[in-house]
Amino acid sequence: MDRFRSLPLPALLPILFVLVGGLYFAIGLVSDQDTDSLVARAVGSFFYALVMTTFFGFLIAHRRRRAGGTETAAAIQRAVRSGELPEHVDHVVWTRELESTRKRYRNNRVVVPVMVVLFAAFSVWAAATVSPFWWLILVLFVGACAYSVWETRRALRNIEHLLTALRGSWTIDQPDASRTDSPANQAG
């Protein structure tokens, strides 16, 4: 996964385009076996993949730029996953990015349960009215959300550990009040 995250955008975006478009096409094909509309499904998958790749491309570029580059962004994600702070990091950038990542994971604690309820209701309706295939989609989605809950808890714990380590390793020199050249000592 680290190798995938470290790819430059010109290499990453075509892979993302193929994955998103192929997955969209496959899900549409499995959920509706009507082979008469394969060309329409392929065109729809192409445009869906184009829009999603563009969106993710801007999002990835923004995050990488904000983190100070591809390698730093990958190192931050690796640190969030492992809980280990690498040596010689830019404390300002890492603190900002870890706090931003912590905010996103905290939002997951609210968003994921809401998504599960809404998608479960939709899937039950779709399974009853459209196709029984939606039961499989529901099981996969609930499994992904369960993993997301576990990953969120682990990431938040690791982020807190990383922020504590960052704050502990970065000390600011405080002026010594006992020095004779300090303004407080010169006034008296």
Side-chain angles (χ1 to χ4, degrees):
M1 185 62 96
D2 286 337
R3 184 178 293 165
F4 188 71
R5 285 191 174 125
S6 298
L7 287 173
L9 279 180
L12 178 63
L13 293 181
I15 294 170
L16 190 61
F17 178 84
V18 170
L19 289 174
V20 169
L23 185 63
Y24 187 80
F25 182 80
I27 288 173
L29 192 63
V30 171
S31 66
D32 182 21
Q33 284 88 20
D34 182 21
T35 57
D36 295 336
S37 61
L38 284 180
V39 173
R41 186 180 318 281
V43 170
S45 296
F46 173 81
F47 284 109
Y48 178 77
L50 187 65
V51 168
M52 293 308 291
T53 302
T54 302
F55 171 75
F56 285 127
F58 282 118
L59 184 68
I60 292 167
H62 171 70
R63 284 199 180 152
R64 286 180 175 181
R65 196 171 31 255
R66 184 177 164 162
T70 303
E71 293 303 319
T72 306
I76 291 170
Q77 287 302 315
R78 191 171 33 255
V80 167
R81 207 173 45 253
S82 69
E84 308 260 335
L85 184 66
E87 294 181 20
H88 310 295
V89 298
D90 182 350
H91 288 74
V92 174
V93 170
W94 275 69
T95 301
R96 181 186 68 224
E97 289 303 306
L98 287 172
E99 287 176 351
S100 174
T101 303
R102 178 175 58 184
K103 182 179 178 183
R104 283 194 309 271
Y105 276 110
R106 282 183 176 167
N107 289 341
N108 279 357
R109 294 188 303 188
V110 174
V111 171
V112 170
V114 170
M115 284 176 34
V116 166
V117 170
L118 293 176
F119 192 79
F122 174 76
S123 293
V124 168
W125 171 82
T129 60
V130 177
S131 166
F133 173 74
W134 280 94
W135 291 114
L136 176 63
I137 297 289
L138 176 63
V139 168
L140 292 174
F141 184 76
V142 169
C145 288
Y147 174 77
S148 177
V149 168
W150 175 79
E151 172 67 20
T152 297
R153 292 181 64 198
R154 182 177 66 107
L156 285 171
R157 184 178 57 246
N158 288 346
I159 289 169
E160 290 303 325
H161 172 73
L162 292 168
L163 286 171
T164 302
L166 272 173
R167 290 181 186 118
S169 67
W170 189 23
T171 59
I172 300 174
D173 293 332
Q174 295 292 330
D176 188 4
S178 65
R179 289 179 41 188
T180 57
D181 60 338
S182 71
N185 288 339
Q186 289 177 357

Short mmCIF file of all heavy atoms in Angstrom, two decimals, residues 87-150:
data_model
loop_
_atom_site.label_atom_id
_atom_site.label_comp_id
_atom_site.label_asym_id
_atom_site.label_seq_id
_atom_site.Cartn_x
_atom_site.Cartn_y
_atom_site.Cartn_z
N GLU A 87 12.22 9.56 12.85
CA GLU A 87 13.14 10.59 13.31
C GLU A 87 13.17 11.73 12.30
O GLU A 87 12.90 11.53 11.13
CB GLU A 87 14.54 10.00 13.48
CG GLU A 87 14.63 8.96 14.57
CD GLU A 87 16.04 8.42 14.72
OE1 GLU A 87 16.98 9.08 14.27
OE2 GLU A 87 16.16 7.34 15.28
N HIS A 88 13.53 12.89 12.78
CA HIS A 88 13.75 14.07 11.94
C HIS A 88 12.52 14.42 11.09
O HIS A 88 12.53 14.30 9.88
CB HIS A 88 14.97 13.88 11.03
CG HIS A 88 16.18 13.42 11.76
ND1 HIS A 88 16.81 14.19 12.71
CD2 HIS A 88 16.87 12.25 11.72
CE1 HIS A 88 17.84 13.53 13.20
NE2 HIS A 88 17.89 12.35 12.62
N VAL A 89 11.47 14.79 11.76
CA VAL A 89 10.26 15.22 11.06
C VAL A 89 10.08 16.72 11.28
O VAL A 89 10.57 17.28 12.25
CB VAL A 89 9.00 14.47 11.56
CG1 VAL A 89 9.13 12.98 11.29
CG2 VAL A 89 8.74 14.72 13.02
N ASP A 90 9.37 17.34 10.36
CA ASP A 90 9.03 18.75 10.50
C ASP A 90 7.84 18.83 11.46
O ASP A 90 6.72 18.48 11.12
CB ASP A 90 8.67 19.34 9.13
CG ASP A 90 8.35 20.82 9.18
OD1 ASP A 90 8.22 21.37 10.29
OD2 ASP A 90 8.23 21.42 8.10
N HIS A 91 8.10 19.30 12.67
CA HIS A 91 7.09 19.27 13.73
C HIS A 91 5.84 20.08 13.37
O HIS A 91 4.73 19.66 13.67
CB HIS A 91 7.68 19.79 15.04
CG HIS A 91 8.62 18.83 15.67
ND1 HIS A 91 9.89 18.61 15.19
CD2 HIS A 91 8.47 18.01 16.74
CE1 HIS A 91 10.49 17.70 15.94
NE2 HIS A 91 9.65 17.32 16.89
N VAL A 92 6.02 21.19 12.71
CA VAL A 92 4.87 22.04 12.36
C VAL A 92 3.97 21.32 11.37
O VAL A 92 2.75 21.23 11.55
CB VAL A 92 5.35 23.40 11.81
CG1 VAL A 92 4.17 24.22 11.31
CG2 VAL A 92 6.13 24.16 12.86
N VAL A 93 4.57 20.79 10.30
CA VAL A 93 3.79 20.10 9.27
C VAL A 93 3.14 18.84 9.84
O VAL A 93 1.96 18.59 9.63
CB VAL A 93 4.67 19.76 8.06
CG1 VAL A 93 3.95 18.84 7.08
CG2 VAL A 93 5.12 21.03 7.35
N TRP A 94 3.91 18.06 10.57
CA TRP A 94 3.37 16.81 11.10
C TRP A 94 2.26 17.06 12.11
O TRP A 94 1.25 16.37 12.09
CB TRP A 94 4.49 15.98 11.73
CG TRP A 94 5.20 15.14 10.71
CD1 TRP A 94 6.01 15.58 9.70
CD2 TRP A 94 5.14 13.73 10.58
NE1 TRP A 94 6.46 14.53 8.96
CE2 TRP A 94 5.95 13.37 9.49
CE3 TRP A 94 4.51 12.74 11.30
CZ2 TRP A 94 6.12 12.06 9.09
CZ3 TRP A 94 4.69 11.43 10.92
CH2 TRP A 94 5.49 11.09 9.82
N THR A 95 2.44 18.05 12.96
CA THR A 95 1.39 18.36 13.93
C THR A 95 0.11 18.79 13.22
O THR A 95 -0.99 18.32 13.53
CB THR A 95 1.86 19.45 14.91
OG1 THR A 95 3.02 18.98 15.58
CG2 THR A 95 0.78 19.77 15.93
N ARG A 96 0.25 19.69 12.23
CA ARG A 96 -0.92 20.16 11.49
C ARG A 96 -1.62 19.00 10.77
O ARG A 96 -2.84 18.86 10.83
CB ARG A 96 -0.49 21.23 10.48
CG ARG A 96 -1.66 21.78 9.67
CD ARG A 96 -1.22 22.72 8.58
NE ARG A 96 -0.48 21.97 7.57
CZ ARG A 96 0.65 22.37 7.01
NH1 ARG A 96 1.20 23.50 7.35
NH2 ARG A 96 1.25 21.64 6.10
N GLU A 97 -0.85 18.15 10.11
CA GLU A 97 -1.44 17.04 9.36
C GLU A 97 -2.04 15.98 10.28
O GLU A 97 -3.09 15.43 9.97
CB GLU A 97 -0.40 16.41 8.43
CG GLU A 97 -0.05 17.30 7.26
CD GLU A 97 -1.26 17.68 6.43
OE1 GLU A 97 -2.01 16.79 5.99
OE2 GLU A 97 -1.46 18.89 6.23
N LEU A 98 -1.39 15.71 11.39
CA LEU A 98 -1.95 14.73 12.33
C LEU A 98 -3.23 15.25 12.97
O LEU A 98 -4.18 14.48 13.17
CB LEU A 98 -0.92 14.36 13.39
CG LEU A 98 0.22 13.47 12.91
CD1 LEU A 98 1.29 13.33 13.99
CD2 LEU A 98 -0.29 12.10 12.48
N GLU A 99 -3.28 16.53 13.29
CA GLU A 99 -4.52 17.09 13.85
C GLU A 99 -5.64 17.08 12.81
O GLU A 99 -6.79 16.82 13.15
CB GLU A 99 -4.25 18.48 14.39
CG GLU A 99 -3.46 18.44 15.69
CD GLU A 99 -3.08 19.80 16.23
OE1 GLU A 99 -3.28 20.81 15.52
OE2 GLU A 99 -2.56 19.86 17.36
N SER A 100 -5.30 17.35 11.55
CA SER A 100 -6.30 17.28 10.49
C SER A 100 -6.79 15.84 10.30
O SER A 100 -7.99 15.60 10.14
CB SER A 100 -5.69 17.81 9.19
OG SER A 100 -6.57 17.64 8.12
N THR A 101 -5.87 14.90 10.33
CA THR A 101 -6.24 13.49 10.20
C THR A 101 -7.08 13.04 11.38
O THR A 101 -8.06 12.31 11.22
CB THR A 101 -4.96 12.62 10.09
OG1 THR A 101 -4.19 13.09 8.99
CG2 THR A 101 -5.31 11.16 9.89
N ARG A 102 -6.73 13.50 12.58
CA ARG A 102 -7.52 13.17 13.77
C ARG A 102 -8.95 13.69 13.62
O ARG A 102 -9.90 12.99 13.96
CB ARG A 102 -6.86 13.75 15.02
CG ARG A 102 -7.66 13.48 16.27
CD ARG A 102 -6.98 13.94 17.52
NE ARG A 102 -6.67 15.37 17.46
CZ ARG A 102 -6.00 16.01 18.40
NH1 ARG A 102 -5.53 15.37 19.45
NH2 ARG A 102 -5.77 17.30 18.30
N LYS A 103 -9.10 14.89 13.08
CA LYS A 103 -10.44 15.46 12.88
C LYS A 103 -11.25 14.60 11.91
O LYS A 103 -12.43 14.33 12.16
CB LYS A 103 -10.32 16.89 12.36
CG LYS A 103 -11.64 17.58 12.18
CD LYS A 103 -11.45 19.00 11.69
CE LYS A 103 -12.79 19.66 11.45
NZ LYS A 103 -12.64 21.00 10.90
N ARG A 104 -10.62 14.15 10.82
CA ARG A 104 -11.33 13.30 9.86
C ARG A 104 -11.75 11.98 10.50
O ARG A 104 -12.87 11.52 10.29
CB ARG A 104 -10.45 13.04 8.63
CG ARG A 104 -10.38 14.19 7.67
CD ARG A 104 -9.80 13.78 6.34
NE ARG A 104 -8.55 13.07 6.41
CZ ARG A 104 -7.35 13.64 6.41
NH1 ARG A 104 -7.25 14.96 6.37
NH2 ARG A 104 -6.26 12.90 6.45
N TYR A 105 -10.86 11.39 11.29
CA TYR A 105 -11.22 10.13 11.95
C TYR A 105 -12.29 10.34 13.01
O TYR A 105 -13.14 9.47 13.21
CB TYR A 105 -9.98 9.46 12.56
CG TYR A 105 -9.21 8.63 11.57
CD1 TYR A 105 -7.96 9.02 11.12
CD2 TYR A 105 -9.72 7.44 11.08
CE1 TYR A 105 -7.25 8.26 10.21
CE2 TYR A 105 -9.03 6.67 10.17
CZ TYR A 105 -7.79 7.08 9.75
OH TYR A 105 -7.09 6.31 8.85
N ARG A 106 -12.26 11.45 13.71
CA ARG A 106 -13.32 11.73 14.68
C ARG A 106 -14.66 11.87 13.98
O ARG A 106 -15.70 11.44 14.51
CB ARG A 106 -13.00 12.98 15.49
CG ARG A 106 -11.97 12.73 16.56
CD ARG A 106 -11.74 13.97 17.37
NE ARG A 106 -10.82 13.69 18.46
CZ ARG A 106 -10.23 14.62 19.19
NH1 ARG A 106 -10.46 15.91 18.94
NH2 ARG A 106 -9.41 14.31 20.15
N ASN A 107 -14.66 12.49 12.80
CA ASN A 107 -15.90 12.60 12.03
C ASN A 107 -16.42 11.22 11.62
O ASN A 107 -17.63 11.01 11.53
CB ASN A 107 -15.69 13.47 10.79
CG ASN A 107 -15.52 14.93 11.13
OD1 ASN A 107 -15.88 15.37 12.21
ND2 ASN A 107 -14.94 15.68 10.21
N ASN A 108 -15.50 10.28 11.37
CA ASN A 108 -15.91 8.92 11.01
C ASN A 108 -16.76 8.27 12.09
O ASN A 108 -17.63 7.46 11.80
CB ASN A 108 -14.68 8.03 10.78
CG ASN A 108 -14.09 8.20 9.42
OD1 ASN A 108 -14.60 8.95 8.58
ND2 ASN A 108 -12.98 7.53 9.18
N ARG A 109 -16.50 8.62 13.35
CA ARG A 109 -17.26 8.02 14.45
C ARG A 109 -18.74 8.38 14.37
O ARG A 109 -19.58 7.66 14.91
CB ARG A 109 -16.69 8.44 15.79
CG ARG A 109 -15.30 7.90 16.03
CD ARG A 109 -14.82 8.14 17.41
NE ARG A 109 -14.82 9.57 17.74
CZ ARG A 109 -14.29 10.06 18.85
NH1 ARG A 109 -13.74 9.27 19.74
NH2 ARG A 109 -14.31 11.36 19.07
N VAL A 110 -19.08 9.47 13.70
CA VAL A 110 -20.47 9.87 13.54
C VAL A 110 -21.00 9.47 12.16
O VAL A 110 -22.10 8.94 12.03
CB VAL A 110 -20.63 11.40 13.73
CG1 VAL A 110 -22.04 11.86 13.42
CG2 VAL A 110 -20.20 11.80 15.12
N VAL A 111 -20.19 9.70 11.14
CA VAL A 111 -20.63 9.48 9.76
C VAL A 111 -20.87 8.00 9.46
O VAL A 111 -21.87 7.65 8.84
CB VAL A 111 -19.61 10.10 8.77
CG1 VAL A 111 -19.93 9.71 7.35
CG2 VAL A 111 -19.59 11.61 8.92
N VAL A 112 -19.97 7.13 9.89
CA VAL A 112 -20.08 5.71 9.54
C VAL A 112 -21.36 5.08 10.09
O VAL A 112 -22.09 4.41 9.34
CB VAL A 112 -18.81 4.93 9.96
CG1 VAL A 112 -19.01 3.43 9.83
CG2 VAL A 112 -17.62 5.39 9.13
N PRO A 113 -21.73 5.27 11.36
CA PRO A 113 -23.00 4.68 11.82
C PRO A 113 -24.22 5.22 11.07
O PRO A 113 -25.15 4.47 10.77
CB PRO A 113 -23.05 5.04 13.30
CG PRO A 113 -21.63 5.23 13.70
CD PRO A 113 -20.96 5.80 12.49
N VAL A 114 -24.21 6.50 10.75
CA VAL A 114 -25.32 7.08 9.99
C VAL A 114 -25.38 6.44 8.61
O VAL A 114 -26.47 6.08 8.11
CB VAL A 114 -25.19 8.62 9.90
CG1 VAL A 114 -26.19 9.20 8.93
CG2 VAL A 114 -25.35 9.24 11.28
N MET A 115 -24.22 6.28 7.97
CA MET A 115 -24.19 5.65 6.65
C MET A 115 -24.69 4.21 6.70
O MET A 115 -25.39 3.76 5.79
CB MET A 115 -22.77 5.67 6.08
CG MET A 115 -22.35 7.01 5.56
SD MET A 115 -20.63 7.08 4.99
CE MET A 115 -20.32 5.50 4.31
N VAL A 116 -24.33 3.49 7.76
CA VAL A 116 -24.77 2.09 7.88
C VAL A 116 -26.29 2.03 7.95
O VAL A 116 -26.91 1.23 7.25
CB VAL A 116 -24.13 1.42 9.12
CG1 VAL A 116 -24.82 0.12 9.45
CG2 VAL A 116 -22.66 1.19 8.89
N VAL A 117 -26.90 2.87 8.75
CA VAL A 117 -28.36 2.85 8.89
C VAL A 117 -29.03 3.22 7.57
O VAL A 117 -29.94 2.51 7.11
CB VAL A 117 -28.80 3.81 10.02
CG1 VAL A 117 -30.31 3.99 10.02
CG2 VAL A 117 -28.32 3.28 11.37
N LEU A 118 -28.57 4.29 6.94
CA LEU A 118 -29.19 4.72 5.68
C LEU A 118 -28.99 3.68 4.57
O LEU A 118 -29.93 3.33 3.85
CB LEU A 118 -28.64 6.08 5.25
CG LEU A 118 -28.99 7.26 6.13
CD1 LEU A 118 -28.29 8.52 5.65
CD2 LEU A 118 -30.49 7.46 6.18
N PHE A 119 -27.76 3.18 4.43
CA PHE A 119 -27.49 2.22 3.37
C PHE A 119 -28.18 0.89 3.64
O PHE A 119 -28.62 0.22 2.69
CB PHE A 119 -25.99 2.02 3.18
CG PHE A 119 -25.66 1.28 1.93
CD1 PHE A 119 -25.68 1.92 0.70
CD2 PHE A 119 -25.36 -0.08 1.97
CE1 PHE A 119 -25.38 1.22 -0.46
CE2 PHE A 119 -25.07 -0.78 0.82
CZ PHE A 119 -25.07 -0.12 -0.41
N ALA A 120 -28.27 0.49 4.90
CA ALA A 120 -28.97 -0.76 5.22
C ALA A 120 -30.44 -0.66 4.85
O ALA A 120 -31.01 -1.58 4.26
CB ALA A 120 -28.81 -1.10 6.70
N ALA A 121 -31.05 0.48 5.17
CA ALA A 121 -32.46 0.67 4.80
C ALA A 121 -32.63 0.64 3.28
O ALA A 121 -33.53 -0.02 2.76
CB ALA A 121 -32.98 1.98 5.38
N PHE A 122 -31.73 1.32 2.58
CA PHE A 122 -31.82 1.33 1.12
C PHE A 122 -31.58 -0.07 0.55
O PHE A 122 -32.28 -0.49 -0.37
CB PHE A 122 -30.79 2.31 0.54
CG PHE A 122 -30.72 2.26 -0.96
CD1 PHE A 122 -31.70 2.85 -1.73
CD2 PHE A 122 -29.68 1.61 -1.59
CE1 PHE A 122 -31.66 2.79 -3.11
CE2 PHE A 122 -29.62 1.54 -2.96
CZ PHE A 122 -30.60 2.13 -3.74
N SER A 123 -30.62 -0.80 1.09
CA SER A 123 -30.30 -2.13 0.58
C SER A 123 -31.44 -3.12 0.81
O SER A 123 -31.73 -3.95 -0.06
CB SER A 123 -29.02 -2.67 1.23
OG SER A 123 -27.92 -1.91 0.83
N VAL A 124 -32.08 -3.03 1.96
CA VAL A 124 -33.22 -3.91 2.22
C VAL A 124 -34.34 -3.60 1.24
O VAL A 124 -34.95 -4.50 0.65
CB VAL A 124 -33.69 -3.77 3.69
CG1 VAL A 124 -35.04 -4.45 3.90
CG2 VAL A 124 -32.64 -4.33 4.63
N TRP A 125 -34.60 -2.31 1.01
CA TRP A 125 -35.62 -1.93 0.03
C TRP A 125 -35.25 -2.43 -1.36
O TRP A 125 -36.07 -3.00 -2.08
CB TRP A 125 -35.80 -0.40 0.02
CG TRP A 125 -36.66 0.05 -1.11
CD1 TRP A 125 -38.01 0.07 -1.15
CD2 TRP A 125 -36.21 0.53 -2.38
NE1 TRP A 125 -38.45 0.53 -2.37
CE2 TRP A 125 -37.34 0.81 -3.15
CE3 TRP A 125 -34.96 0.74 -2.95
CZ2 TRP A 125 -37.26 1.30 -4.45
CZ3 TRP A 125 -34.87 1.22 -4.23
CH2 TRP A 125 -36.02 1.50 -4.97
N ALA A 126 -33.96 -2.21 -1.76
CA ALA A 126 -33.52 -2.62 -3.10
C ALA A 126 -33.53 -4.14 -3.25
O ALA A 126 -33.87 -4.66 -4.31
CB ALA A 126 -32.12 -2.07 -3.38
N ALA A 127 -33.18 -4.86 -2.20
CA ALA A 127 -33.22 -6.33 -2.26
C ALA A 127 -34.64 -6.84 -2.42
O ALA A 127 -34.88 -7.84 -3.10
CB ALA A 127 -32.58 -6.92 -1.01
N ALA A 128 -35.59 -6.16 -1.81
CA ALA A 128 -36.99 -6.59 -1.90
C ALA A 128 -37.62 -6.19 -3.23
O ALA A 128 -38.49 -6.90 -3.74
CB ALA A 128 -37.78 -5.99 -0.75
N THR A 129 -37.20 -5.07 -3.81
CA THR A 129 -37.88 -4.58 -5.01
C THR A 129 -37.07 -4.71 -6.30
O THR A 129 -37.65 -4.87 -7.36
CB THR A 129 -38.27 -3.10 -4.84
OG1 THR A 129 -37.09 -2.33 -4.63
CG2 THR A 129 -39.24 -2.92 -3.70
N VAL A 130 -35.75 -4.64 -6.23
CA VAL A 130 -34.94 -4.62 -7.45
C VAL A 130 -34.31 -5.98 -7.72
O VAL A 130 -34.58 -6.60 -8.74
CB VAL A 130 -33.83 -3.54 -7.35
CG1 VAL A 130 -32.95 -3.55 -8.58
CG2 VAL A 130 -34.44 -2.16 -7.16
N SER A 131 -33.44 -6.41 -6.79
CA SER A 131 -32.71 -7.65 -7.01
C SER A 131 -32.18 -8.17 -5.67
O SER A 131 -31.74 -7.39 -4.83
CB SER A 131 -31.52 -7.37 -7.95
OG SER A 131 -30.61 -8.43 -7.95
N PRO A 132 -32.17 -9.49 -5.51
CA PRO A 132 -31.61 -10.07 -4.28
C PRO A 132 -30.09 -9.84 -4.16
O PRO A 132 -29.49 -10.06 -3.12
CB PRO A 132 -31.93 -11.55 -4.36
CG PRO A 132 -32.70 -11.77 -5.59
CD PRO A 132 -32.81 -10.50 -6.33
N PHE A 133 -29.47 -9.42 -5.24
CA PHE A 133 -28.04 -9.12 -5.24
C PHE A 133 -27.70 -8.08 -4.17
O PHE A 133 -26.60 -8.05 -3.64
CB PHE A 133 -27.63 -8.62 -6.63
CG PHE A 133 -26.23 -8.12 -6.71
CD1 PHE A 133 -25.17 -9.01 -6.69
CD2 PHE A 133 -25.96 -6.77 -6.79
CE1 PHE A 133 -23.87 -8.56 -6.75
CE2 PHE A 133 -24.67 -6.31 -6.86
CZ PHE A 133 -23.61 -7.21 -6.84
N TRP A 134 -28.66 -7.23 -3.84
CA TRP A 134 -28.42 -6.17 -2.85
C TRP A 134 -28.15 -6.71 -1.46
O TRP A 134 -27.56 -6.02 -0.64
CB TRP A 134 -29.60 -5.19 -2.85
CG TRP A 134 -29.47 -4.24 -3.99
CD1 TRP A 134 -30.04 -4.36 -5.23
CD2 TRP A 134 -28.69 -3.06 -4.01
NE1 TRP A 134 -29.65 -3.32 -6.02
CE2 TRP A 134 -28.83 -2.49 -5.29
CE3 TRP A 134 -27.89 -2.41 -3.08
CZ2 TRP A 134 -28.20 -1.31 -5.65
CZ3 TRP A 134 -27.26 -1.23 -3.44
CH2 TRP A 134 -27.41 -0.70 -4.71
N TRP A 135 -28.55 -7.96 -1.17
CA TRP A 135 -28.20 -8.55 0.12
C TRP A 135 -26.68 -8.73 0.22
O TRP A 135 -26.08 -8.47 1.27
CB TRP A 135 -28.89 -9.89 0.33
CG TRP A 135 -30.38 -9.77 0.52
CD1 TRP A 135 -31.35 -10.23 -0.31
CD2 TRP A 135 -31.05 -9.14 1.61
NE1 TRP A 135 -32.59 -9.93 0.19
CE2 TRP A 135 -32.44 -9.25 1.38
CE3 TRP A 135 -30.63 -8.49 2.76
CZ2 TRP A 135 -33.39 -8.75 2.24
CZ3 TRP A 135 -31.58 -7.97 3.62
CH2 TRP A 135 -32.95 -8.11 3.36
N LEU A 136 -26.06 -9.15 -0.88
CA LEU A 136 -24.61 -9.29 -0.91
C LEU A 136 -23.93 -7.93 -0.75
O LEU A 136 -22.96 -7.80 0.00
CB LEU A 136 -24.16 -9.96 -2.21
CG LEU A 136 -22.65 -10.08 -2.41
CD1 LEU A 136 -22.03 -10.96 -1.34
CD2 LEU A 136 -22.34 -10.61 -3.79
N ILE A 137 -24.45 -6.93 -1.43
CA ILE A 137 -23.89 -5.57 -1.32
C ILE A 137 -24.01 -5.09 0.14
O ILE A 137 -23.07 -4.49 0.67
CB ILE A 137 -24.62 -4.59 -2.26
CG1 ILE A 137 -24.42 -4.98 -3.72
CG2 ILE A 137 -24.19 -3.16 -2.02
CD1 ILE A 137 -23.04 -4.76 -4.24
N LEU A 138 -25.13 -5.36 0.77
CA LEU A 138 -25.32 -4.97 2.16
C LEU A 138 -24.31 -5.64 3.08
O LEU A 138 -23.70 -4.99 3.93
CB LEU A 138 -26.75 -5.30 2.62
CG LEU A 138 -27.05 -5.02 4.10
CD1 LEU A 138 -26.92 -3.54 4.40
CD2 LEU A 138 -28.44 -5.52 4.45
N VAL A 139 -24.09 -6.93 2.89
CA VAL A 139 -23.12 -7.65 3.72
C VAL A 139 -21.71 -7.07 3.52
O VAL A 139 -20.98 -6.84 4.49
CB VAL A 139 -23.15 -9.16 3.40
CG1 VAL A 139 -21.98 -9.89 4.02
CG2 VAL A 139 -24.47 -9.76 3.87
N LEU A 140 -21.33 -6.82 2.28
CA LEU A 140 -20.01 -6.25 2.00
C LEU A 140 -19.88 -4.85 2.61
O LEU A 140 -18.84 -4.50 3.18
CB LEU A 140 -19.76 -6.20 0.49
CG LEU A 140 -19.60 -7.54 -0.20
CD1 LEU A 140 -19.50 -7.36 -1.71
CD2 LEU A 140 -18.39 -8.29 0.33
N PHE A 141 -20.93 -4.05 2.51
CA PHE A 141 -20.89 -2.70 3.04
C PHE A 141 -20.80 -2.71 4.58
O PHE A 141 -20.01 -1.96 5.15
CB PHE A 141 -22.14 -1.92 2.59
CG PHE A 141 -22.12 -0.49 3.02
CD1 PHE A 141 -21.33 0.44 2.37
CD2 PHE A 141 -22.90 -0.05 4.09
CE1 PHE A 141 -21.30 1.75 2.76
CE2 PHE A 141 -22.88 1.26 4.48
CZ PHE A 141 -22.08 2.18 3.82
N VAL A 142 -21.57 -3.55 5.22
CA VAL A 142 -21.51 -3.64 6.68
C VAL A 142 -20.13 -4.13 7.12
O VAL A 142 -19.57 -3.63 8.11
CB VAL A 142 -22.64 -4.54 7.23
CG1 VAL A 142 -22.45 -4.85 8.70
CG2 VAL A 142 -23.99 -3.86 7.01
N GLY A 143 -19.55 -5.07 6.39
CA GLY A 143 -18.19 -5.52 6.69
C GLY A 143 -17.18 -4.40 6.55
O GLY A 143 -16.29 -4.23 7.40
N ALA A 144 -17.30 -3.61 5.48
CA ALA A 144 -16.39 -2.48 5.29
C ALA A 144 -16.56 -1.44 6.39
O ALA A 144 -15.58 -0.86 6.87
CB ALA A 144 -16.62 -1.85 3.92
N CYS A 145 -17.78 -1.22 6.81
CA CYS A 145 -18.02 -0.25 7.89
C CYS A 145 -17.51 -0.77 9.23
O CYS A 145 -16.98 0.01 10.03
CB CYS A 145 -19.51 0.09 7.98
SG CYS A 145 -20.04 1.12 6.61
N ALA A 146 -17.63 -2.07 9.47
CA ALA A 146 -17.08 -2.64 10.70
C ALA A 146 -15.56 -2.48 10.72
O ALA A 146 -14.97 -2.12 11.74
CB ALA A 146 -17.46 -4.11 10.83
N TYR A 147 -14.92 -2.72 9.58
CA TYR A 147 -13.48 -2.49 9.49
C TYR A 147 -13.15 -1.02 9.71
O TYR A 147 -12.18 -0.69 10.38
CB TYR A 147 -12.95 -2.95 8.12
CG TYR A 147 -11.50 -2.59 7.93
CD1 TYR A 147 -10.50 -3.33 8.54
CD2 TYR A 147 -11.14 -1.49 7.16
CE1 TYR A 147 -9.16 -2.99 8.38
CE2 TYR A 147 -9.81 -1.14 7.00
CZ TYR A 147 -8.83 -1.89 7.61
OH TYR A 147 -7.52 -1.54 7.46
N SER A 148 -13.97 -0.13 9.18
CA SER A 148 -13.75 1.30 9.34
C SER A 148 -13.83 1.72 10.81
O SER A 148 -13.05 2.55 11.28
CB SER A 148 -14.77 2.09 8.52
OG SER A 148 -14.61 3.46 8.72
N VAL A 149 -14.77 1.15 11.55
CA VAL A 149 -14.88 1.45 12.98
C VAL A 149 -13.63 0.99 13.71
O VAL A 149 -13.07 1.72 14.53
CB VAL A 149 -16.15 0.79 13.58
CG1 VAL A 149 -16.13 0.83 15.09
CG2 VAL A 149 -17.40 1.47 13.02
N TRP A 150 -13.16 -0.22 13.41
CA TRP A 150 -11.95 -0.73 14.03
C TRP A 150 -10.74 0.12 13.66
O TRP A 150 -9.95 0.49 14.52
CB TRP A 150 -11.72 -2.18 13.60
CG TRP A 150 -10.43 -2.73 14.09
CD1 TRP A 150 -10.15 -3.21 15.33
CD2 TRP A 150 -9.21 -2.84 13.34
NE1 TRP A 150 -8.85 -3.61 15.41
CE2 TRP A 150 -8.24 -3.40 14.20
CE3 TRP A 150 -8.85 -2.53 12.03
CZ2 TRP A 150 -6.94 -3.64 13.79
CZ3 TRP A 150 -7.55 -2.77 11.63
CH2 TRP A 150 -6.62 -3.32 12.50
#
